Amino acid sequence: MNLIGLVICPLLITYAAFHVYGTEAPLSPFEVGAALVGKRALPNAPSGYTPRGGDCLSDRPTIRSAKYLSPNETSWLELRRNNTFDPMRSLLKRLNITGFNISNLAQNGSELPNIAIAFSGGGWRALMNGAGALQAFDSRTGNSTSVGQLGGLLEATTYLVGLSGGSWLVGSVAVTNFSSVSSILNGTSGPLWEFSNSILKGPEQIDTTEYYNEIYSNITGKNDAGFNISITDYWGRALSYQMINATDGGPSFTWSSISLGPQFSSGSVPMPIIVADGRAPGELLIPTNTTVYEFNPWELGSFDPTVYGFAPLEFIGSNFSGGTLPSNESCVRGFDNAGFVMGTSSSLFNQFFLQINNTNIPPAVKNSLTKILSNIGEANNDIADYTPNPFYHYNNATNVNAGSKRLTLVDGGEDLQNIPLQPLIEPARHVDVIFAIDSSADTEYNWPNGTSLVATYQRSLNASGIGNGTAFPAIPDQNTFINKGLNTRPTFFGCNASNTTSITPLVVYIPNAPYTYQSNVSTFTLTYSNSVRDEIIRNGYNVATMGNGSVDAQWPSCVGCAIVSRSLERTGTAVPATCQQCFQKYCWDGTLNSTPPATYSPQNLLSGAIAKQKLGMAWMLVLSTMVVWIII
């Protein structure tokens, strides 16, 4: 073989293999920076998992009104908007919207689209399916900026919101210094997402007995310091071993410490928000007009007219009263443990710890759980206890919890809003487009049918006024979702902003569907091999990209059209012909088909496409070999 053959042969074969499988991209400046500053948020709790009181700053913390965004968020948004400018321009250029000139928007930075991504609940299924979408949107993922791909959308995004299983994804990524999904899967972010061991058994790095002893020690310390504990404390600590740190669960990592990390504080990454529902005293079933709470990096609170206030997250273990901290009270830190926050949003899973009598765990742990249940009652096993209530005697006229020293929060999906959209339709945030990743198990075979969108739409119309001025696009009923196939492919809702009483974000609904794998696993399945985990994540990638554009080559351009839609309206810019085609194809047309549908049990959408792709790649390899031999 001559020199030319020696050079060209591996190049051609590598080129073919690259287009079949892709590779991990080189580290971006963002990822290099993350590696330099460490792989976790700051472990800034004063005493591990145990909250501790101490001296306050010169300005004692207070509860603020929700009339405006916080000064912290307002300042951060200025940084973030500047940092999304170049990624946005690069993304829109690559998405190739024929007839669209990005410079029209670039001349006025305030008109740049404001993007949010919301990840639904659904246990490990939601984490994995959502991770596939996140990986597809991340330019750090190998080959994600090639034709048919959507890499760069994450870098152009302002808000990243998760609920229940989706909160594990958002929380895990945020607390590990915004690791890429690829780095988590290949192990460079440490031992994370190791689901082959049940969460009831613990990670393979430590013995099961030691695992429970550590959890018990953490929680006992909190209880001994005078704080109420709930089963969510156990659940959140267990989650932390899978999502934050497999060796000790990161007991000192707080949600508020995210705000101190250099990547976030510089506006280089999106804002992570986790959602939970409030439970009124004596309430067992969560109504659709329950108060929706959010945990952002600075605050816990709600824009709903019930509470309509926010507490400084770093100090939520302090004894606030009437919106202030009395002079004789200390400033308590460390209550907002990151795992506890994720556990709060997914407290529906507390039930797992009611089954541990059949597992080999220390008797002290079993006794502790039995004592908790005897104190709160079986009907309250899903609560997360936030005593002392930071909103005690705050907004007494509307806040149903104002008279109680105890604030109880539950799984964010218990009000049926399984996609966390409430923080994103708040007018003060001016979100233009929401990519809503739905991994819900609404149907008999664990596929979504739009129930979450229906719940959010109905809440916006609720006569109680719980919507508080928020607006949401019109949504059809669940039967229509299935009968018209809206749960099998992406659909845009709110395409015509003039049809709503006030401007709403455009919602790009991306439901879980079987492209390359039957990803409809049970919400309550506890273990997954790495190969199954990776297949579900790969399927989620294909869901977000529509099979890298193989199902619809125009899909990337249509994503671009969704991103710029509201900006086009604001600036009075003519809608390009490409976008008109996309809106005709993907916007819900407003028609209904509410007849009872047949059982929904879909087959893989890409089995034929993948076979064709592999055949094409095989021919490329054959042709490559022929060319080499001709050269030789």
Side-chain angles (χ1 to χ4, degrees), residues 218-453:
N218 291 157
I219 295 170
T220 299
K222 179 178 178 180
N223 194 214
D224 289 346
F227 295 91
N228 290 1
I229 58 173
S230 57
I231 297 177
T232 304
D233 285 278
Y234 278 94
W235 171 239
R237 292 304 304 127
L239 268 179
S240 297
Y241 285 81
Q242 289 193 345
M243 308 301 169
I244 297 176
N245 189 324
T247 56
D248 67 354
S252 295
F253 291 101
T254 62
W255 191 254
S256 59
S257 74
I258 293 171
S259 67
L260 306 176
Q263 296 300 312
F264 179 79
S265 61
S266 64
S268 300
V269 292
M271 179 189 297
I273 299 175
I274 284 179
V275 168
D277 286 342
R279 174 181 279 189
E283 193 173 61
L284 296 182
L285 297 177
I286 304 300
T288 56
N289 65 342
T290 194
T291 299
V292 175
Y293 290 81
E294 70 170 59
F295 296 84
N296 64 54
W298 303 284
E299 298 178 312
L300 161 66
S302 177
F303 288 102
D304 288 349
T306 48
V307 173
Y308 201 57
F310 283 86
L313 187 59
E314 182 181 2
F315 303 112
I316 58 170
S318 307
N319 272 297
F320 290 93
S321 180
T324 63
L325 187 62
S327 59
N328 62 334
E329 294 288 350
S330 64
C331 283
V332 175
R333 294 175 175 86
F335 195 105
D336 63 315
N337 175 269
F340 185 58
V341 171
M342 287 188 276
T344 299
S345 183
S346 58
S347 67
L348 187 65
F349 292 84
N350 287 357
Q351 63 182 279
F352 287 140
F353 277 90
L354 306 182
Q355 304 168 10
I356 62 172
N357 281 330
N358 297 321
T359 60
N360 185 27
I361 65 169
V365 176
K366 295 181 182 180
N367 292 337
S368 175
L369 290 167
T370 300
K371 183 178 180 180
I372 291 173
L373 285 176
S374 66
N375 287 336
I376 65 176
E378 291 282 352
N380 291 316
N381 62 42
D382 64 334
I383 67 164
D385 197 325
Y386 281 75
T387 303
N389 176 11
F391 304 103
Y392 180 61
H393 284 318
Y394 185 80
N395 283 345
N396 290 324
T398 56
N399 179 6
V400 295
N401 287 298
S404 174
K405 290 288 289 182
R406 186 187 194 198
L407 174 66
T408 54
L409 304 181
V410 296
D411 192 296
E414 288 199 33
D415 63 349
L416 300 183
Q417 293 189 95
N418 202 38
I419 307 175
L421 298 171
Q422 285 299 323
L424 303 176
I425 61 176
E426 171 55 39
R429 285 193 165 127
H430 302 292
V431 173
D432 291 315
V433 57
I434 304 171
F435 289 86
I437 314 301
D438 192 2
S439 307
S440 303
D442 300 323
T443 69
E444 179 182 357
Y445 292 110
N446 299 327
W447 300 108
N449 67 1
T451 291
S452 180
L453 293 187

Side-chain angles (χ1 to χ4, degrees), residues 513-525:
Y515 275 68
T516 55
Y517 193 81
Q518 292 287 315
S519 54
N520 57 327
V521 294
S522 169
T523 302
F524 299 106
T525 297

